Amino acid sequence: MVIVMATGASDTDIADVVAHIDNHGGQAFVSRGVTRTIIGVVGTEDVLETMDADGLPGVAETMRITAPYKLVSAQNHARRSTVRVGGVPIGPDTFTFIAGPCAVETAEQTLESAWMAKRAGASLLRGGAYKPRTSPYAFQGLGVEGLRILAEVRDVVGLPIVTEVTDPNDVDTVAEYADMLQIGTRNMQNFGLLNAVGATGKPVMLKRGLTATYEEWLMAAEYIAQRGNLDIVLCERGVRSFEPSIRNMLDVSAIAMVQRLSHLPVIVDPSHAAGRRDLVVPLARAGIAAGADGVMVDVHPHPEAALCDGAQALFGDLLAELSQAVTIIPPLLGRTSAAHLAG
Ligand code: PEP
Ligand code: MN
């Protein structure tokens, strides 16, 4: 069961509802979103039947949710949610462009990439300091030094930062620097990590697992939500397929479908889907047309020298083409560009 609190509900109202649930033998999970607080209730059929929360002060609605994911379900959400990252909205009314290097390599490379992103119209900067690499011999990221570089670049360029965390032990450190925490595809079901990022209260970008079903993806989001954090953005980044010439297969259906199953924003990462830069713009266009709430791409000033994913990094004409796509297509679909809405 889910209890939706009224927009003006006070902390006391919320505490009273939680106490009411406890007294009836249920368990309450409070999630605070930008516009409203939702309380998930877990308990036996008996508990849910006898616990009448409808008349309590501050309660707008109580509802039984039939989907296995309760807090992130679209059920009973008249509108999909908007998540704010350092003031930048990601949601159904806007279109958010996120760009940056796959990995933070040096201060100069990160700064140059950030200016490339900003000039192309991005309103958030991406960049990994902890890199989940297939090979243990590949560049693993600069760690805390990379986070410091990102924070410095944010101050200079003025773009809030999205960066990945791969280990529950690093979550607090990464959260000190980041505006949004990214959970990568390989960690989508790392439940300890999901619980840890949920507890920080920072916005989280949850990438879809390489072979995850929509339900598995949303159940992973539910872990974060259940820790009290509803500021979750889902990112479709391609799934494992039988075709060897592309790295992953961008699942355009996922964007449309998951927006029907969940109230959370859904963005698309065509770079990690394609694995090659010549496909990034066409896939980005497809994602935008399918209704994605934003796009995230890799850029690099010198891709031939990149320590990670250089083959898919945009620069020059292709970045200009993407910039044009994110400027032209979203307004045709009734969206405004988030680049102008920060703050
Ligand atoms: C990334 O965005 O840097 C990344 C590693 O992506 P994914 O987890 O989707 O492979
Ligand atoms: Mn990468």
Side-chain angles (χ1 to χ4, degrees):
M1 174 184 280
V2 162
I3 300 174
V4 180
M5 300 302 290
T7 315
S10 67
D11 288 347
T12 313
D13 292 341
I14 295 166
D16 287 350
V17 173
V18 171
H20 180 83
I21 295 164
D22 284 347
N23 292 339
H24 282 78
Q27 242 187 314
F29 297 94
V30 179
S31 297
R32 291 168 197 268
V34 174
T35 48
R36 57 182 172 173
T37 294
I38 294 177
I39 304 176
V41 187
V42 176
T44 59
E45 276 299 312
D46 269 4
V47 168
L48 300 180
E49 297 267 298
T50 55
M51 185 193 52
D52 181 13
D54 269 318
L56 298 177
V59 171
E61 247 187 304
T62 63
M63 60 196 66
R64 300 293 285 266
I65 305 274
T66 47
Y69 36 86
K70 311 291 178 193
L71 300 169
V72 307
S73 165
Q75 223 175 313
N76 296 299
H77 279 252
R79 274 188 68 56
R80 294 194 303 107
S81 299
T82 294
V83 170
R84 284 184 176 272
V85 181
V88 176
I90 308 178
D93 301 324
T94 49
F95 187 82
T96 310
F97 179 21
I98 308 169
C102 180
V104 173
E105 299 166 9
T106 64
E108 296 70 28
Q109 164 259 3
T110 307
L111 186 63
E112 265 190 82
S113 304
W115 282 123
M116 286 169 73
K118 182 147 185 170
R119 284 193 203 105
S123 48
L124 295 173
L125 173 67
R126 63 146 291 145
Y130 296 86
K131 296 305 302 176
R133 304 305 297 277
T134 302
S135 164
Y137 304 113
F139 175 59
Q140 303 287 309
L142 297 182
V144 178
E145 177 54 20
L147 297 174
R148 286 198 198 103
I149 292 174
L150 280 170
E152 277 168 29
V153 169
R154 168 180 53 202
D155 291 346
V156 175
V157 178
L159 296 178
I161 52 185
V162 183
T163 194
E164 179 162 354
V165 57
T166 55
D167 185 326
N169 295 319
D170 295 328
V171 166
D172 289 340
T173 307
V174 178
E176 269 177 45
Y177 293 89
D179 297 288
M180 179 179 228
L181 302 170
Q182 179 175 320
I183 300 293
T185 195
R186 292 157 190 83
N187 276 312
M188 189 203 80
Q189 284 186 315
N190 181 338
F191 300 114
L193 188 60
L194 298 176
N195 285 331
V197 296
T200 65
K202 285 261 167 169
V204 178
M205 179 192 295
L206 179 64
K207 293 190 118 186
R208 182 180 177 191
L210 272 178
T211 61
T213 64
Y214 303 154
E215 187 170 308
E216 287 164 342
W217 192 10
L218 291 171
M219 290 304 272
E222 188 80 5
Y223 269 85
I224 300 167
Q226 205 226 37
R227 296 302 293 242
N229 186 354
L230 271 181
D231 290 333
I232 307 163
V233 172
L234 301 165
C235 178
E236 162 59 37
R237 47 78 72 208
V239 290
R240 173 75 37 105
S241 89
F242 43 78
E243 174 52 51
S245 64
I246 49 167
R247 190 167 167 188
N248 295 287
M249 184 165 63
L250 185 71
D251 180 3
V252 176
S253 306
I255 300 161
M257 186 67 184
V258 171
Q259 287 183 343
R260 281 155 182 75
L261 297 174
S262 170
H263 62 90
L264 299 178
V266 182
I267 68 162
V268 65
D269 173 351
S271 302
H272 286 84
R276 41 187 280 182
R277 76 175 60 82
D278 62 332
L279 295 185
V280 172
V281 175
L283 295 186
R285 289 187 188 126
I288 303 169
D293 301 307
V295 66
M296 179 165 85
V297 298
D298 286 1
V299 301
H300 200 290
H302 310 287
E304 68 293 345
L307 298 179
C308 184
D309 285 350
Q312 70 199 30
L314 297 182
F315 65 101
D317 290 349
L318 286 179
L319 182 55
E321 260 186 56
L322 179 69
S323 174
Q324 213 180 17
V326 301
T327 310
I328 293 172
I329 310 172
L332 298 175
L333 302 171
R335 294 173 185 268
T336 43
S337 161
H340 311 294
L341 298 168

